[in-house]
Amino acid sequence: MIFAHPLKRGLVGCALLSAAHAFGATPTLNGQSGYINMPSAEVEKDGTFTIGYSHDQPYGAISATSTILPFLQFTGRYVSISGIRGFDSPDGYGSNYGRFKDKVADAKLRLWEESLWMPSVAVGATDLLGTELFKGQYVVATKHFGAARNIEATLGYGHKRPDGAFAGVRWAPLATPGWAFVAEYDANDYPRDFRASETDAGKRSKGAAVAVEYRWGWLGAQLARHRDHFSANAYVTIPFGEREYIPKIFEPAPYQPKNAPPRVSAAAWQADSGHGAALIAALVKQDYRNVRVQLDGNTLHLTLTNTRIYDLGRSMGRAARTALAFAPEGTRALRITYTRLEQPVATYEFFDLARLSDYLSGLVGRETFLQSVLIRYARPDEQLAGDQTTLLAGLQEAKGEGEGGLEVQTNRDGNIVQLSAEDREANRFKVVPRFGFFFNDPSGALRYEVAAAANYDRRLGTGLYLNSAFKLNIFENISGVTQASNSDLPHVRTDVAEYKRAGRFKLNKLMVNQYLMPDERLYARLSAGIYEEMFSGVGGQLLYLPKDSRWVADLSVDALRQRGYRGWFDMRDYRTVTALGALHYKLPYDITATARVGRFLAKDNGVRFEFKRRFQSGIEVGAWYARTDGKDITNPGTPTNPYHDKGVFLSIPLRSMLPSDTQANAGLALSPWTRDVGQMVATPGDLYEMLENPRRDMTRGDALGNFAERADEQGLASVNPPVKPLTNPWPAFRARIEQSSSTLPRLPEWAPAAGIAAGVVLASAALDKPVDKYMQRHADARLTRTAGNFGKSMPVALIGLAGAAFALGDERMQNIGLISLESVAGALGLSGLGKYAVGRARPGEGRGPWSQVGPDQPRSNASFPSAHSAAAFAAVTPFAEEYDAPWLYGLAAVSSMGRVAGRQHWVSDTVAGGLIGYAVGGWLWHAQRDNSASRVTVVPGPRQLGVAWQGSY
């Protein structure tokens, strides 16, 4: 696992500024909300993040828990077990690793909240992935009592861990705020734990335990007494749902118009470049960069970016206030284009400058002001010329404003100390300290490095930048890693220790990047040079922003060569070309789902899924999972079950933690750091990351945000957008079920069709044996292998297209997409029942066409009917019928033929599966194509996305 970020001020100190925290869901020793060891049905408030440490002999655990949705809690923990060595190799391998350690992932889903008479109910699972040493499942119910709801009681039942019935109770006396007393019946069967006979776990048993707890602000602690030992638990709870945790006491005030020079006529402005230069200088003082000014008739046009202010609306508000103070007499309109790396992103047009002034002064309301504002995507021609020679010459005469000198800064951008310089064109030089932590290597459980990082960025022309990064390791022990990689894949990441030990001072980046905007909402980047510590190359990226704010698509292609260990201009022999297409989709609760498909660093092909939730504070919690054809057999991977790359990450905008605004972020990621499968090169300048935040601000609410920094703006949705919960979908789905069930044919009506279908299946069975013999003889043919892969992947692609139709289509297509997905679910359910009922062996087992599955094969893996065929025909039937496109059945049929070619199914299996899919899809299409009684649609609002459930029920 890896954890790396710049040296930042301690975030834990922010906890001291919080008010007293009421008792709510409290983390157990394992991190999940509950009592001591047993869970409750409670989850913390939406957006809550808790990190803690617990000790419960023989276990010690560092845990991080996040309520990523109001009803879903996820916990990751790093568990150590005293009494067991991590490695017991006779040759001393892993002798420095220490005690045994394991990564554990837990999840809890609350099914419904507590009501007046009913308790809240949740289901949960522990140790979902990996070694599964602590694997278990449970269902639990919790109810509160008392007028102040200060008594909480829980009953639950677990399988594996915990084992059997468990219970818990918590009492928070009103007379002693912050204190609570806890009792539970611990149902964990500790002697059955991993190697329990070698640890103190073997001496423990089920039974009662009691504890006392105390909470103060974000801080909490628990001390518990078990039958024969004590346990301790301490944690910090951070509400990610709050916009910021520290008031902006060091934030500079907006520009004061009283400081502006006397206004001049438009003719005088045009004649004297000093007026425009003075405006640029005033903006540069406020951290605006790449500022360009042009007076076109009675319209003043500015293009600019801001390197410090986080919110787009606030940045545009301060720029408008300054421009208004410097505008010449007779100016009737103001147009400001916000850019990133000189690429236009958003344009704000103000048509009534008197009303703009009144709104900034608090004399008119938001609605009145909005009538004179147009906010839209910027056009390529709105980037003003970068060679305004006369104007910039005037700026040079303005006492060197904007020319940043080299200085030592403290407590800036979240760094304790930094050496920095930046000028008005965003040319930057910065030296900062950096920490890196690497966990779980057999040669030492904790590896670290302390380094000084220097970055130099230089503007070479419009959108053309030189980016460089140097790194000097000061203290490190990563070079002590002795484990040799046993990866069978090209070593694109597993040789990281060789890179760390080869030299202390390295050139980690030396890039030339050209950023372009070929058309409105279309962006491009061309790159060449040293990308990162391990790879150099040439490449580019193309990104498209649709008007619909729900999705973004991009494509990146890079021709790469692996760098040498020394970290300068030496190269290794490995070369590759990576090509990844990405679709980013916005879901409710400000969740972004990303799928990246293509070729990865180790020449493996597949898909990487990413999900992240952005909270009110701007903090993001996410995870990724990559599934490729690369066979990573490094433990816990095996030849039959190879490892697939996965991890979780946390991104923290430091503006929420600091007394002044900043665009700086701290990052944390947990994932294996010596893996080659599913890896990507470090991007030289990702366009999606560049545009994501300003685009989000532009499409949220009215896009003004905290524009005037007025007190009455703070409660507006654009500044503090409420999290809109999903409406209850059950009534609409119930209406669809009733609508569909009412159209089911009666027995006399469907019996003839069922008889014909059975006859077709029996007739096709005559082809089972001869066709399979033919496929067996040609199993090694390229066409046969291609057909087998096609048959396996096509149903997945068809289901994905149905989902895309539901998510992205118009109202008609969304309805058909939903019917298609419902049809797939129904067809898979029926085919699953058929598999259990018939239990037919697959052709590849060599048991014959009328044999039962082998004793080592589950009936769910039986051959009849084909689930792939059922899914393919179910997915296409609603679209084929609605849009009169019978050729879609050909895709499903070819997919079925591929399953036969790959000897995964007999011919009659695919015929039966296809008939099931066609029947279910046709039935649901006839029943639900008129969706007036139960409409389920994805609704793209002008600034947001919602899911609407409508109907007459």
Side-chain angles (χ1 to χ4, degrees), residues 599-618:
R599 194 182 200 216
F600 292 84
L601 261 180
K603 301 181 181 179
D604 49 331
N605 302 298
V607 58
R608 171 181 163 122
F609 297 101
E610 303 168 9
F611 295 89
K612 66 178 181 180
R613 167 83 188 278
R614 187 177 191 269
F615 297 98
Q616 180 79 323
S617 59

Side-chain angles (χ1 to χ4, degrees), residues 120-439:
S120 57
V121 176
V123 294
T126 59
D127 212 347
L128 296 166
L129 305 167
T131 58
E132 300 183 353
L133 301 182
F134 300 93
K135 188 175 184 61
Q137 304 86 33
Y138 62 84
V139 58
V140 60
T142 298
K143 190 79 177 71
H144 288 83
F145 302 93
R149 293 172 51 85
N150 62 321
I151 300 175
E152 176 185 296
T154 288
L155 289 174
Y157 189 86
H159 174 62
K160 292 187 177 179
R161 201 177 198 267
D163 178 33
F166 60 88
V169 63
R170 173 176 286 108
W171 173 47
L174 300 180
T176 56
W179 292 91
F181 301 93
V182 173
E184 73 170 15
Y185 179 80
D186 186 347
N188 287 334
D189 191 358
Y190 293 99
R192 291 169 54 185
D193 280 358
F194 174 70
R195 295 173 64 177
S197 60
E198 305 171 42
T199 73
D200 288 342
K203 305 173 185 176
R204 297 175 59 176
S205 60
K206 300 180 179 181
V210 295
V212 60
E213 300 172 341
Y214 182 71
R215 271 198 177 190
W216 180 61
W218 291 358
L219 306 177
Q222 179 193 81
L223 182 64
R225 175 63 183 177
H226 306 257
R227 285 190 172 184
D228 55 3
H229 73 284
F230 287 94
S231 68
N233 184 14
Y235 51 88
V236 179
T237 299
I238 306 173
F240 284 177
E242 294 185 10
R243 182 171 175 80
E244 58 186 34
Y245 310 122
I246 293 181
K248 298 295 180 280
I249 56 178
F250 296 140
E251 184 66 10
Y255 185 81
Q256 300 301 315
K258 64 182 181 181
N259 298 327
R263 301 184 70 182
V264 298
S265 66
W269 172 286
Q270 296 281 28
D272 185 357
S273 62
H275 298 293
L279 171 56
I280 294 177
L283 288 167
V284 169
K285 276 187 173 182
Q286 299 172 73
D287 300 301
Y288 291 92
R289 300 291 182 261
N290 302 126
V291 184
R292 303 291 183 265
V293 176
Q294 179 176 295
L295 183 61
D296 184 8
N298 56 14
T299 299
L300 183 61
H301 185 193
L302 286 77
T303 64
L304 46 75
T305 192
N306 195 288
T307 58
R308 186 183 62 83
I309 298 177
Y310 187 85
D311 294 319
L312 174 63
R314 182 164 173 262
S315 175
M316 298 300 270
R318 290 199 168 199
R321 188 189 299 269
T322 308
L324 194 62
F326 282 82
E329 294 176 348
T331 304
R332 294 187 177 181
L334 175 63
R335 184 166 72 244
I336 306 177
T337 298
Y338 186 85
T339 66
R340 283 291 177 94
L341 296 171
E342 297 185 275
Q343 306 312 301
V345 178
T347 294
Y348 286 55
E349 294 189 70
F350 307 95
F351 304 107
D352 188 336
L353 300 191
R355 190 175 295 182
L356 169 61
S357 178
D358 287 344
Y359 182 71
L360 292 171
S361 303
L363 300 178
V364 298
R366 186 88 154 200
E367 292 302 319
T368 301
F369 174 54
L370 283 170
Q371 298 173 15
S372 63
V373 182
L374 174 63
I375 301 171
R376 56 175 173 78
Y377 284 105
R379 298 188 300 267
D381 59 2
E382 290 181 312
Q383 174 59 46
L384 299 180
D387 57 349
Q388 296 180 321
T389 307
T390 303
L391 191 60
L392 295 180
L395 181 60
Q396 293 285 0
E397 297 172 3
K399 300 180 181 179
E401 296 288 4
E403 299 299 333
L406 191 63
E407 60 178 325
V408 177
Q409 301 171 339
T410 58
N411 298 323
R412 180 75 180 266
D413 296 334
N415 295 307
I416 293 177
V417 63
Q418 65 181 27
L419 183 65
S420 179
E422 181 177 5
D423 67 14
R424 63 171 180 268
E425 293 301 307
N427 298 313
R428 301 183 184 92
F429 176 74
K430 181 184 290 188
V431 179
V432 296
R434 290 191 181 275
F435 277 160
F437 297 99
F438 301 80
F439 296 95

Side-chain angles (χ1 to χ4, degrees), residues 784 786-799 866-876 887-906 909-911 914:
T784 303
T786 302
N789 293 331
F790 184 86
K792 182 179 180 181
S793 59
M794 179 51 65
V796 178
L798 293 173
I799 295 171
S866 167
H868 281 73
S869 298
F873 274 90
V876 303
W887 59 270
L888 288 171
Y889 293 121
L891 285 178
V894 173
S895 173
S896 297
M897 293 168 59
R899 298 300 286 169
V900 176
R903 302 192 68 224
Q904 296 298 312
H905 285 289
W906 308 97
D909 299 338
T910 61
V911 171

Side-chain angles (χ1 to χ4, degrees), residues 87 97 438-447 480-483 673-674:
F87 296 87
Y97 184 79
F438 301 80
F439 296 95
N440 230 33
D441 185 79
S443 61
L446 173 63
R447 296 286 175 178
V481 171
T482 57
Q483 180 188 17
W673 59 290
T674 52

Side-chain angles (χ1 to χ4, degrees), residues 465-699:
Y465 288 86
L466 171 70
N467 305 111
S468 63
F470 298 84
K471 187 176 178 182
L472 173 64
N473 271 339
I474 302 173
F475 305 106
E476 60 87 24
N477 66 355
I478 301 174
S479 57
V481 171
T482 57
Q483 180 188 17
S485 171
N486 62 350
S487 172
D488 291 335
L489 296 171
H491 289 197
V492 295
R493 295 298 183 202
T494 51
D495 291 339
V496 58
E498 297 293 339
Y499 283 91
K500 299 298 182 182
R501 69 168 60 99
R504 296 180 61 188
F505 184 57
K506 290 188 175 184
L507 174 63
N508 278 359
K509 179 187 289 188
L510 184 61
M511 297 288 306
V512 175
N513 289 310
Q514 175 68 68
Y515 297 90
L516 303 164
M517 189 181 184
D519 202 352
E520 183 179 347
R521 294 177 284 106
L522 185 65
Y523 297 85
R525 170 184 51 80
L526 300 174
S527 303
I530 296 174
Y531 280 43
E532 51 155 275
E533 185 176 21
M534 298 186 186
F535 286 92
S536 62
V538 296
Q541 183 182 13
L542 189 67
L543 178 140
Y544 175 65
L545 294 174
K547 288 185 177 179
D548 179 351
S549 62
R550 291 177 289 170
W551 62 276
V552 177
D554 71 76
L555 172 67
S556 58
V557 179
D558 296 285
L560 304 166
R561 185 173 180 182
Q562 196 166 30
R563 298 180 64 197
Y565 296 144
R566 292 195 301 273
W568 287 94
F569 300 103
D570 50 319
M571 294 292 172
R572 304 181 71 190
D573 293 334
Y574 181 73
R575 301 171 186 261
T576 186
V577 175
T578 63
L580 293 171
L583 177 68
H584 314 270
Y585 192 82
K586 290 290 185 182
L587 297 169
Y589 289 105
D590 212 351
I591 295 173
T592 301
T594 297
R596 303 183 192 273
V597 181
R599 194 182 200 216
F600 292 84
L601 261 180
K603 301 181 181 179
D604 49 331
N605 302 298
V607 58
R608 171 181 163 122
F609 297 101
E610 303 168 9
F611 295 89
K612 66 178 181 180
R613 167 83 188 278
R614 187 177 191 269
F615 297 98
Q616 180 79 323
S617 59
I619 295 173
E620 295 178 340
V621 177
W624 75 87
Y625 177 77
R627 185 93 182 190
T628 77
D629 58 6
K631 304 297 183 182
D632 186 344
I633 62 173
T634 305
N635 186 52
T638 64
T640 57
N641 186 25
Y643 177 86
H644 299 286
D645 186 56
K646 53 185 174 288
V648 297
F649 65 88
L650 177 69
S651 176
I652 303 174
L654 294 177
R655 62 180 295 273
S656 60
M657 304 285 185
L658 298 176
S660 59
D661 205 357
T662 178
Q663 294 180 6
N665 285 273
L668 181 153
L670 295 175
S671 71
W673 59 290
T674 52
R675 296 287 183 176
D676 297 313
V677 67
Q679 298 298 309
M680 302 186 301
V681 70
T683 175
D686 186 70
L687 295 176
Y688 181 72
E689 291 181 3
M690 180 180 85
L691 299 171
E692 184 181 19
N693 281 342
R695 183 171 184 261
R696 176 189 287 111
D697 291 344
M698 192 180 71
T699 56

